[in-house]
């Protein structure tokens, strides 16, 4: 318990933080069902009863099939939500909540921010769709989704962005020591893709070795980049060494060249290393651009081309100078706050500094 809180506190410099419980939400659809009375069996009494039942049934339609909130969510039109402003200073209207569960997907009950369940229709649909693809093609794992944003967007604890319904953090799919899928946790993964769920930081006996489940994590990324909202996927923030492992897996899995290239183009390591989760950012939809949505860079040629095709041009983002920034926690402060920890945790955090300081292999930080 404490281990999780601490590892999240350590991560809080830019993206992650403490914990909570998730709520399901999509509005259920009630399908109208025609009630039909069973014919009587011959006896008068039976006929009367049948008539009564029929009358009641007419008043109260028999329950139809269970409403399927996931199908309702996936059928929603993107125009029902609107992202306004930029990821760092915007807001969102008509945001939808991530379901607590969907095939191959779980909203993290220990997410950094309990209320951060909301995103644009496109973002939530993209996650549900990609997790389903992984679930069907490589069954056994589960995508664990951390923070999206608040119902109306705006400033949110533990994040500099996540304000306009277009940012989401997802944990890596993980394997255990025996190579079996294991529930995802925010473990810092090293250049070999290995990490520890340290749990109680003072107790070395409960450490759980995990490693990146590259096949499922890559499959998720590929599904996202091939899915219904693929043209909106702007950026994936991830530590450079895991980007490299994912690209190697993509090659091994013979993923389409265009998808591998797209992933290579849109991924980069920001100041906070993102060695425990992927942060995915989406572009404004054309409708949202008209309503005041603003993209931050980069604008790729294919994005400009897609906008030109619908008679639009990229909208330059104008950062608000006065926007309040959440307090940033330095690695040293987080470590201090975490309290006592056993030797391996300390060793791991020291190793971690090497890939936090500069991306490896040799690219620059993304802005
Ligand atoms: Zn994030």
């Amino acid at each position: 318990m404490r281990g999780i809180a601490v590892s999240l506190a350590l991560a809080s410099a830019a993206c992650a933080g403490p914990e909570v419980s998730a709520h399901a939400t999509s509005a259920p659809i009630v399908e109208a069902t025609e009630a039909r009375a069973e014919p009587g069996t011959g006896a008068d009494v039976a006929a009367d009863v049948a008539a009564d039942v029929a009358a009641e049934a007419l008043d109260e339609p028999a329950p139809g099939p269970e409403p399927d909130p996931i199908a309702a969510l996936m059928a929603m039109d993107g125009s029902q939500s609107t992202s306004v402003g930029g990821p760092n200073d915007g807001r969102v209207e008509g945001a939808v909540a991530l379901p607590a569960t969907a095939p191959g997907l779980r909203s993290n009950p220990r997410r950094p921010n309990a209320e951060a369940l909301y995103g644009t229709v496109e973002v939530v649909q993209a996650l549900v769709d990609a997790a389903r693809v992984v679930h069907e093609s490589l069954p056994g794992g589960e995508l664990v989704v951390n923070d999206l944003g608040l119902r109306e967007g705006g400033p949110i604890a533990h994040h500099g962005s996540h304000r306009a319904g277009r940012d989401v953090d997802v944990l890596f799919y993980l394997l255990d020591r025996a190579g079996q899928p294991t529930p995802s946790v925010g473990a810092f993964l090293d250049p070999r893709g290995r990490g520890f769920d340290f749990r109680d930081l003072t107790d070395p006996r409960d450490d759980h070795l995990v490693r990146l489940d590259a096949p499922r994590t890559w499959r998720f990324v590929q599904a996202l980049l091939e899915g219904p909202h693929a043209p909106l996927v702007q950026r994936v923030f991830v530590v450079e060494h895991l980007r490299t492992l994912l690209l190697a897996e993509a090659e091994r899995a013979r993923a389409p060249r265009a998808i591998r290239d797209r992933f290579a183009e849109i991924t980069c390591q920001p100041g906070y290393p993102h060695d425990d989760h992927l942060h995915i950012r989406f572009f404004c939809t054309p409708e949202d651009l008209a309503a005041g949505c603003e993209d931050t860079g980069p604008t790729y040629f294919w994005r400009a081309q897609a906008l030109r095709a619908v008679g639009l041009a990229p909208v330059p983002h104008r950062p608000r100078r006065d926007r309040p920034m959440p307090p940033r926690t330095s690695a040293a402060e987080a470590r201090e706050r975490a309290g006592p920890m056993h030797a391996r945790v300390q060793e791991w955090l020291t190793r971690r500094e090497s890939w936090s300081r500069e991306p490896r292999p040799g690219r620059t930080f993304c802005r």
Side-chain angles (χ1 to χ4, degrees):
M1 188 66 181
R2 201 178 129 268
I4 289 163
V6 168
S7 66
L8 287 168
L10 289 167
S12 72
C15 242
E19 52 198 65
V20 169
S21 69
H23 318 276
T25 50
S26 318
I29 327 174
V30 179
E31 288 181 25
T33 311
E34 227 176 285
R36 247 185 292 147
E38 287 295 317
T41 53
D44 285 352
V45 174
D48 281 352
V49 170
D52 284 351
V53 170
E56 256 174 56
L58 284 172
D59 284 348
E60 271 178 57
E66 281 291 298
D68 180 354
I70 305 297
L73 170 71
M74 299 310 279
M76 283 180 82
D77 192 274
S79 62
Q80 294 186 45
S81 63
T82 306
S83 176
V84 182
N88 298 328
D89 54 19
R91 60 188 174 84
V92 61
E93 293 167 7
V96 291
L98 183 81
T101 60
L105 177 149
R106 183 162 53 87
S107 179
N108 191 2
R110 296 184 188 281
R111 64 176 56 253
N113 191 315
E115 307 303 320
L117 295 170
Y118 297 87
T120 61
V121 169
E122 290 86 355
V123 168
V124 176
Q125 286 178 343
L127 294 172
V128 171
D129 180 76
R132 178 193 52 78
V133 171
V134 181
H135 178 67
E136 287 170 1
S137 51
L138 297 171
E142 194 173 45
L143 180 75
V144 176
V145 182
N146 269 12
D147 283 1
L148 288 100
L150 303 179
R151 187 192 284 266
E152 294 179 347
I156 173 171
H158 312 298
H159 303 279
S161 59
H162 289 250
R163 295 188 182 198
R166 292 184 279 123
D167 291 281
V168 57
D169 294 333
V170 303
L171 297 182
F172 298 110
Y173 290 83
L174 295 177
L175 300 174
D176 64 14
R177 193 186 287 269
Q180 294 303 309
T182 190
S184 296
V185 292
F188 307 135
L189 302 180
D190 76 359
R192 292 168 71 199
R194 287 162 188 256
F196 285 96
D197 177 8
F198 287 113
R199 301 174 182 178
D200 182 342
L201 297 183
T202 61
D203 185 356
R205 289 165 306 181
D206 71 353
D207 294 358
H208 176 53
L209 179 72
V210 293
R211 65 184 166 88
L212 176 71
D213 183 346
R216 287 188 182 81
T217 304
W218 168 259
R219 193 67 194 85
F220 167 74
V221 166
Q222 182 179 334
L224 204 60
L225 297 177
E226 289 176 331
H229 301 302
L232 295 178
V233 181
Q234 180 186 18
R235 272 230 150 142
V236 178
F237 296 107
V238 60
V239 75
E240 190 61 29
H241 61 245
L242 298 183
R243 172 182 184 269
T244 303
L245 291 181
L246 289 171
L247 282 169
E249 168 59 25
E251 196 174 338
R252 191 204 61 78
R254 301 185 182 198
R257 167 55 82 187
I259 299 297
R260 285 151 54 186
D261 288 350
R262 175 65 63 93
F263 178 73
E265 185 179 22
I266 66 171
T267 38
C268 59
Q269 176 175 335
Y272 174 78
H274 288 68
D275 51 358
D276 57 348
H277 73 279
L278 298 169
H279 175 137
I280 304 159
R281 174 165 298 160
F282 289 72
F283 278 121
C284 301
T285 65
E287 296 82 10
D288 291 358
L289 284 172
C293 189
E294 294 173 13
D295 287 317
T296 48
T299 303
Y300 312 99
F301 90 91
W302 45 267
R303 167 68 174 172
Q305 210 169 37
L307 289 177
R308 272 200 300 277
V310 292
L312 292 170
V315 176
H317 176 66
R318 296 178 302 275
R320 319 292 190 263
R321 288 218 180 88
D322 58 347
R323 87 183 165 101
M325 282 296 291
R328 287 178 80 91
T329 311
S330 72
E333 282 166 347
R335 211 161 152 163
E336 176 76 33
R337 244 181 255 170
M341 44 183 84
H342 63 76
R344 181 154 52 196
V345 186
Q346 303 206 27
E347 219 176 275
W348 202 264
L349 292 177
T350 302
R351 279 189 69 204
R352 184 176 189 242
E353 284 168 19
S354 65
W355 63 78
S356 301
R357 268 197 304 273
E358 55 186 281
R360 297 175 174 189
R363 298 207 316 162
T364 53
F365 287 116
C366 55
R367 304 270 158 225

